[in-house]
């Protein structure tokens, strides 16, 4: 048998702890997460991309499935009919690319767009409209913009971050 990726279920809110346990056992781990800005500054600053799941790259001949099942913080290994289900390398690569994309997008938004900046809505029913960037909505991939609408009233509108871009300065 060869080394493959397996999805490991963690106990609630123990993904990071389980990742550390697996790594300390010499197991290659992929714990996809995104950074968030919580409302409460003492709250978690990372959010699992797949709550209660992470991925371990192991050879089940060398590291028995029972080791993964009974690791502190683990709730089990994803299995079908009692057989651990492997996750294709291509899927792991696609998840890594998506996490990288979201991280870059978050950083660009943080660096480029500040409250009060003029933005253009790129997608959805308000595509093409200009708005004023208000704030990133805490803990989510959403933002709030103020849309000039109906007799120049500013209407707050929540959108996904990817739906806006900074307006070109003229």
């Amino acid at each position: 048998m060869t080394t493959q990726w397996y999805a490991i279920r963690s106990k609630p809110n123990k993904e990071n702890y389980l990742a550390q346990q697996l790594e300390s056992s010499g197991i290659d781990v992929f714990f996809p997460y995104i950074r968030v800005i919580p409302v409460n500054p003492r709250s978690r600053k990372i959010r699992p991309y797949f709550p209660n799941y992470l991925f371990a790259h192991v050879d089940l001949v060398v590291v028995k499935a029972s080791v993964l099942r009974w690791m502190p913080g683990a709730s089990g290994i994803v299995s079908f009919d009692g057989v651990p289900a492997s996750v294709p390398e291509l899927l792991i690569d696609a998840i890594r690319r998506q996490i990288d994309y979201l991280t870059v997008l978050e950083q660009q938004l943080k660096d480029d767009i500040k409250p009060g900046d003029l933005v253009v809505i790129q997608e959805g029913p308000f595509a093409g409209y200009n708005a004023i960037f208000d704030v990133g909505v805490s803990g989510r991939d959403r933002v709030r913009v103020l849309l000039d609408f109906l007799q120049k009233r500013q209407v707050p509108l929540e959108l996904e971050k990817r739906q806006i871009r900074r307006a070109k300065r003229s």
Side-chain angles (χ1 to χ4, degrees):
M1 198 169 197
T2 61
T3 305
Q4 297 185 33
W5 287 101
Y6 295 93
I8 311 295
R9 254 188 330 275
S10 74
K11 292 180 179 172
N13 299 315
K14 296 292 184 187
E15 301 90 354
N16 196 30
Y17 175 73
L18 178 57
Q20 292 171 355
Q21 292 295 313
L22 291 165
E23 286 174 345
S24 69
S25 296
I27 297 171
D28 187 17
V29 176
F30 174 45
F31 169 40
Y33 64 88
I34 48 180
R35 296 198 177 280
V36 294
I37 301 169
V39 175
N40 180 345
R42 290 178 282 171
S43 295
R44 294 171 66 182
K45 309 256 186 304
I46 61 170
R47 185 177 77 200
Y49 196 65
F50 299 108
N52 300 329
Y53 291 92
L54 49 87
F55 303 95
H57 196 228
V58 296
D59 182 345
L60 289 182
V61 171
V62 177
V63 178
K64 302 293 182 209
S66 62
V67 171
L68 299 175
R69 283 188 190 104
W70 298 107
M71 183 74 57
S75 181
I77 184 170
V78 175
S79 302
F80 298 103
D81 293 328
V83 178
S86 65
V87 179
E89 184 84 34
L90 289 172
L91 182 57
I92 297 294
D93 291 341
I95 295 168
R96 285 185 200 273
R97 284 192 305 273
Q98 181 65 17
I99 296 296
D100 291 344
Y101 169 75
L102 292 173
T103 302
V104 167
L105 189 64
E106 173 70 26
Q107 192 60 43
Q108 285 175 344
L109 187 61
K110 195 183 300 180
D111 293 344
D112 293 347
I113 303 176
K114 308 266 187 276
D117 286 350
L118 186 64
V119 296
V120 176
I121 301 172
Q122 300 183 117
E123 297 177 17
F126 299 103
Y129 281 89
N130 288 334
I132 307 284
F133 180 80
D134 186 22
V135 68
V137 178
S138 296
R140 295 188 279 176
D141 295 322
R142 299 184 65 77
V143 295
R144 185 172 56 221
V145 297
L146 303 174
L147 181 65
D148 282 333
F149 209 62
L150 302 174
Q151 301 173 352
K152 296 292 181 184
R153 288 189 54 186
Q154 289 188 332
V155 178
L157 178 66
E158 280 192 23
L159 302 168
E160 290 184 33
K161 290 176 185 175
R162 65 177 175 75
Q163 290 181 285
I164 65 168
R165 70 170 166 75
R166 174 180 245 166
K168 300 219 186 299
R169 300 173 206 253
S170 49

